Amino acid sequence: MRLKNVGVLMFVGLMLACISTPPIHASTLANQAFSFGPGPFPFFGTNSASRTLNVPGKTLVSVLRGSLDPLPVSPGGLVAFVPVTIEVIRPEGGVVATAQTTAFALVPNSFILALPPLPPVFISDFGCPRTWRVRVRSSDGAVPLVRVSGQITFDFFVPGEFPNTLPATYNVDMEGPSIHLEGGGSSATPTLAGHDPLLLGVANRSLIQSTEGTFRIKAKWDTAFHLCYLNQIFPLNVALLKPGGNTVANGETNFSQTTTNPKLDFSYTVTPADAQLAGSWRLRITNNNVVNNFCTLGSNLPVAIDNFDVENFAFPAFQSTFTPQCSEGVGTFDITPTDSTVAVGDRLNYVFSWIVPEPLNWHDLQFLQLRIRELSDNEENDKHKNDKHENDKHKRLSTEQTLESKDSDSDEDSQEGPSDGDTILWVRFDEARNLFSLFKEGQDEFGNGFPAGSPVSLETSQATLHLADSGVVGSGPTGRSVALNLSLSFKPKTAGHEFVVEVAASNDSGVESGFEQADIVKVVRKKAK
């Protein structure tokens, strides 16, 4: 998948996108606020704030302008200014634009990011549940002595909204010619693609992949000529297959659109988890038809079909379609710090926040999850070009819930380090029970739960979550956000490795976000004193 840039100040474009908004699907102008800095207790101090935009793939995203509020007076005196860096991050990962500005004491600082007559625009093949993200941070990476706050005004146009030239609904076709299929259980699995209206209808898989939306599948076919089943019509089983495998999303057994019988016509709404699967959407067409009559002399004769297709421009004309649209989903996340480097044994204190969409409150969450895994070779190669990673099953290391490990550094150094893609720590927060638990490899499940603040550490052979120094900070009985203060450390065998930090959430209605990359952390050896 590729990111298409239009304009020189593309930075404008993404800033817009990264502001936390509900999944609105029309052109929208909005002001979005951000804030970061010290406290208040019991929060860890933060050096950045991220805001996200949940829109379908191919949405035009543009930032118009922004502002920084005057810095407040610090307890120890006046902080004159704080250098600020603004980064735009595409849905598939990777910073695509950076800008520098400054927050001043006493006076606001407004900045214009658009050039008349039209602001620069970003567009990505990837969409919800992956989000556009704007990250505003202190330029030196330190937690500032005072709170830094401000707003960004942005605009976005989903497909079907001018000036986005893509339609609100794409016509869908199979790649390749129409299909001939023998009977008696034969099947075919053609790949689906959207018709690209900008390329005269050329097949374009990216129109229907990596984003939420709704498929509507129709089909037509003819019975092949044979005297033993002349002028007869037969049904087919057609199933929509999820990307990356043979899991059936939906399907039915019915008749061609060209008949007067019940016609094959079914829909499927792509879930957030579906949209993060790598690969292409396909159909599986199965022809189980046979005849057994006087013409076949009492034996089963497979019935062949011709000209199977999911669109028809002759009578009766019809199209299979895909409409990109975002579900309300589970919400959006923020995590700070980012681009972290930590020494073996030192603490990495994450603030992992989740904001649920209106009208929900944070108590509607079921689980929050944080998973840390070894950066794979492919991700390392693509790190500065495309931080996309597949949402596949990851190899997990054996883990156990114990008190603080008493193994010596020399013992741990003698053990083998993490391998490509290995998960080294996977923790889950249960909102209803207010407990943290650790994934256990051998049992393929999470272990016993413990509350934050308890004298227990959830640890593996390579990393530890220190619950005694961790916490949960909600936003009241009706608030939409919750923050997990997670105090982590890494063991000696992880030195010299980089790890992907991924987060996910699910709510009480069973909606799951799927894992999304939140950070990349580098572990270094501790300097000798």
Side-chain angles (χ1 to χ4, degrees), residues 221-233:
W221 57 92
D222 303 319
T223 304
F225 177 79
H226 197 287
L227 290 175
C228 289
Y229 44 82
L230 190 64
N231 295 326
Q232 297 184 56
I233 58 175

Side-chain angles (χ1 to χ4, degrees), residues 358-369:
E358 293 178 336
L360 303 180
N361 65 67
W362 70 276
H363 296 290
D364 292 305
L365 289 168
Q366 181 187 30
F367 299 122
L368 294 178
Q369 299 185 61

Side-chain angles (χ1 to χ4, degrees), residues 92 210 273:
E92 56 268 50
S210 303

Side-chain angles (χ1 to χ4, degrees), residues 311-457:
E311 63 178 0
N312 192 38
F313 297 107
F315 181 81
F318 68 88
Q319 288 283 161
S320 293
T321 60
F322 177 77
T323 302
Q325 57 189 10
C326 297
S327 65
E328 287 297 327
V330 187
T332 59
F333 74 90
D334 190 13
I335 195 166
T336 185
T338 55
D339 299 324
S340 311
T341 298
V342 63
V344 168
D346 288 353
R347 295 296 180 91
L348 174 59
N349 295 323
Y350 274 130
V351 179
F352 167 30
S353 304
W354 199 276
I355 304 173
V356 300
E358 293 178 336
L360 303 180
N361 65 67
W362 70 276
H363 296 290
D364 292 305
L365 289 168
Q366 181 187 30
F367 299 122
L368 294 178
Q369 299 185 61
L370 182 139
R371 183 170 68 184
I372 304 176
R373 62 179 177 83
E374 172 81 354
L375 188 69
S376 70
D377 290 340
N378 288 338
E379 288 169 324
E380 177 65 28
N381 293 335
D382 293 342
K383 187 172 160 189
H384 300 295
K385 299 181 299 180
N386 184 354
D387 292 325
K388 173 182 177 291
H389 63 274
E390 296 180 3
N391 184 32
D392 298 328
K393 288 184 178 179
H394 301 294
K395 193 178 183 182
R396 300 156 188 147
L397 299 180
S398 296
T399 59
E400 56 182 338
Q401 292 172 311
T402 64
L403 296 178
E404 286 282 350
S405 172
K406 298 181 180 179
D407 294 340
S408 67
D409 285 356
S410 59
D411 290 338
E412 290 182 325
D413 277 329
S414 66
Q415 300 174 6
E416 184 179 355
S419 301
D420 185 34
D422 281 355
T423 293
I424 68 166
L425 187 75
W426 185 351
V427 295
R428 183 179 72 180
F429 171 67
D430 184 326
E431 186 279 326
R433 299 194 300 158
N434 199 32
L435 298 178
F436 289 86
S437 57
L438 190 70
F439 186 83
K440 302 176 72 174
E441 156 63 20
Q443 301 176 26
D444 198 30
E445 65 181 8
F446 286 87
N448 294 330
F450 301 89
S454 61
V456 172
S457 293

Side-chain angles (χ1 to χ4, degrees), residues 186-361:
S186 298
S187 64
T189 53
T191 297
L192 296 178
H195 283 307
D196 194 327
L198 303 182
L199 298 175
L200 302 177
V202 172
N204 184 346
R205 297 183 189 181
S206 73
L207 294 174
I208 64 172
Q209 294 178 178
S210 303
T211 190
E212 295 178 69
T214 300
F215 283 99
R216 184 174 182 184
I217 303 298
K218 302 180 181 181
K220 64 92 179 176
W221 57 92
D222 303 319
T223 304
F225 177 79
H226 197 287
L227 290 175
C228 289
Y229 44 82
L230 190 64
N231 295 326
Q232 297 184 56
I233 58 175
F234 297 89
L236 291 177
N237 177 267
V238 179
L240 179 66
L241 302 182
K242 296 184 179 184
N246 294 311
T247 301
V248 174
N250 197 13
E252 68 179 26
T253 298
N254 240 324
F255 292 86
S256 169
Q257 289 282 327
T258 57
T259 71
T260 57
N261 295 61
K263 297 174 176 59
L264 190 137
D265 184 349
F266 66 89
S267 299
Y268 179 72
T269 298
V270 178
T271 68
D274 294 338
Q276 297 196 74
L277 296 173
S280 302
W281 290 91
R282 298 177 299 145
L283 291 181
R284 183 174 65 211
I285 309 145
T286 305
N287 182 3
N288 293 314
N289 295 299
V290 296
V291 294
N292 188 328
N293 55 31
F294 70 93
C295 179
T296 67
L297 302 178
S299 62
N300 288 336
L301 175 67
V303 175
I305 61 99
D306 286 328
N307 305 317
F308 179 92
D309 211 334
V310 295
E311 63 178 0
N312 192 38
F313 297 107
F315 181 81
F318 68 88
Q319 288 283 161
S320 293
T321 60
F322 177 77
T323 302
Q325 57 189 10
C326 297
S327 65
E328 287 297 327
V330 187
T332 59
F333 74 90
D334 190 13
I335 195 166
T336 185
T338 55
D339 299 324
S340 311
T341 298
V342 63
V344 168
D346 288 353
R347 295 296 180 91
L348 174 59
N349 295 323
Y350 274 130
V351 179
F352 167 30
S353 304
W354 199 276
I355 304 173
V356 300
E358 293 178 336
L360 303 180
N361 65 67

Side-chain angles (χ1 to χ4, degrees), residues 12 158 178 182 228 250 337 375 411 418 502 526:
V12 170
V158 301
S178 58
E182 295 295 325
C228 289
N250 197 13
L375 188 69
D411 290 338
E502 300 172 311
K526 197 159 190 174

